Amino acid sequence: MFLCDTWKDYEVLDTGDGEKLERWGEVILRRPDPQTIWPKADPALWDRADAVYHRSERGGGQWEFRRSLPERWTVSHGALKFYVRPTGFKHTGLFPEQGANWNWMAERIRADGRGDLKVLNLFGYTGGATLACAAAGAHVTHVDAAKGMVSWAKENRELSRLPETSCRWIVEDAMRFIQREIRRGNHYDGILMDPPSYGRGPSGEVWKLENELYSLVETSSRLLSERPVFFLMNSYTTGFQASVLSNMIEKCVAARFGGRTDSQELCLPVTAGGVLPCGASGRWSSGEERRT
């Protein structure tokens, strides 16, 4: 598994009975997680939650705040800083398990040794991966269809004190942007994508991961440069195993460039014991050593 164990400001305290208990800085949140079908390890611990997200039978849900919380607060992962807050869809603006991928991409960028690497982040959300790659020395093009998420990502860039010139921000449907970049003849040395299982584009386009993912991988792989460094994709869809990601990457990327493909379950450690499953990630790297 790809285990993210490098957080200090974030911690999964306990899991069970369809929920997870998390510490975000000094704030403790209790959120649903349907995969945690085992009993809670320490039921008394859950009374410490500052806020609880309750699902609605009609879909969605709402937060119950047990004490007054700031509108938003910051958490750090190494030198990177992020604003987090409870949103109406139970999320906080950050997926902590992705720290494992941030570390891996940063290592690939630094090990390559070139100072002009270009990275494309599709479905960039609030910019965790964008900032990790930019801090490692790459120039990142961040694409997301939601204007609010791109604005949040820009704020995180400012919070982390990364140069304005390190990132380019695009509000657009991912596939439309890819197709236009192909026509322009643009290329990237690293590509990552974290597509939602379901969503809508800026013009109301319906996105279903199982219908679109292979086409997205195949088309985006055409944007890789002649000396690509990495290709990364995430899947939170339960039906897609890690081997599915490997098969797509092998066909679309490794068949052209060789290198190494590695797809595994993405997890977070749980302080009360065990790990929290968080989907799967597929990684491809060129396997080349640092150039001098």
Side-chain angles (χ1 to χ4, degrees):
M1 71 178 71
F2 300 141
L3 183 68
C4 184
D5 57 2
T6 51
W7 282 96
K8 294 182 178 179
D9 281 358
Y10 173 83
E11 177 183 9
V12 183
L13 299 171
D14 195 9
T15 61
D17 301 320
E19 293 183 291
K20 56 188 174 186
L21 187 70
E22 308 160 289
R23 178 181 63 82
W24 296 82
E26 297 181 356
V27 177
I28 296 178
L29 301 180
R30 181 173 173 174
R31 298 192 290 164
D33 194 309
Q35 295 195 85
T36 61
I37 60 174
W38 45 85
K40 295 177 173 69
D42 185 1
L45 183 64
W46 295 69
D47 293 334
R48 294 174 53 194
D50 298 309
V52 182
Y53 188 86
H54 300 285
R55 285 195 181 278
S56 169
E57 294 181 356
R58 294 171 293 180
Q62 62 181 5
W63 286 95
E64 172 198 353
F65 294 98
R66 296 180 174 177
R67 73 173 178 92
S68 179
L69 297 179
E71 181 179 348
R72 65 181 184 178
W73 63 97
T74 63
V75 296
S76 299
H77 184 264
L80 303 178
K81 297 182 182 297
F82 306 96
Y83 289 113
V84 294
R85 62 177 176 84
T87 70
F89 295 96
K90 88 169 182 175
H91 298 305
T92 64
L94 202 63
F95 294 102
E97 67 276 3
Q98 289 299 325
N101 286 328
W102 303 344
N103 294 338
W104 178 81
M105 288 184 291
E107 290 169 1
R108 303 283 76 72
I109 292 168
R110 294 189 180 106
D112 181 83
R114 284 176 283 172
D116 58 350
L117 292 182
K118 295 169 57 180
V119 170
L120 174 62
N121 183 6
L122 300 169
F123 309 94
Y125 196 49
T126 61
T130 294
L131 302 191
C133 292
H139 180 273
V140 187
T141 297
H142 175 109
V143 181
D144 199 286
K147 184 176 181 180
M149 293 298 103
V150 174
S151 295
W152 195 336
K154 290 180 179 179
E155 291 181 321
N156 285 337
R157 195 273 308 163
E158 294 174 1
L159 187 64
S160 295
R161 298 184 177 181
L162 291 171
E164 287 187 39
T165 55
S166 64
C167 306
R168 178 169 66 130
W169 311 99
I170 306 293
V171 179
E172 190 173 0
D173 173 77
M175 183 61 88
R176 288 184 180 178
F177 177 78
I178 292 167
Q179 291 170 338
R180 189 164 63 251
E181 288 290 87
I182 290 173
R183 291 195 296 270
R184 289 171 173 169
N186 290 334
H187 294 92
Y188 297 87
D189 305 296
I191 296 176
L192 63 138
M193 62 181 70
D194 195 0
S197 299
Y198 174 84
R200 292 184 179 274
S203 302
E205 305 92 338
V206 176
W207 166 273
K208 286 189 177 181
L209 185 63
E210 62 270 24
N211 298 335
E212 307 289 345
L213 188 55
Y214 182 80
S215 177
L216 180 69
V217 173
E218 193 280 327
T219 307
S220 63
S221 70
R222 301 182 208 170
L223 288 175
L224 288 170
S225 67
E226 294 181 357
R227 294 167 57 192
V229 176
F230 70 81
F231 189 97
L232 170 71
M233 58 187 300
N234 293 299
S235 172
Y236 291 97
T237 301
T238 305
F240 283 168
Q241 303 297 325
S243 58
V244 175
L245 306 186
S246 282
N247 286 342
M248 288 190 287
I249 293 173
E250 284 288 318
K251 291 178 181 293
C252 298
V253 181
R256 290 173 53 202
F257 298 103
R260 181 174 183 268
T261 302
D262 187 12
S263 299
Q264 298 187 34
E265 198 173 357
L266 193 62
C267 299
L268 285 162
V270 180
T271 302
V275 297
L276 176 66
C278 305
S281 291
R283 300 171 175 177
W284 174 88
S285 61
S286 63
E288 297 183 25
E289 298 298 325
R290 179 186 295 270
R291 300 177 182 88
T292 57

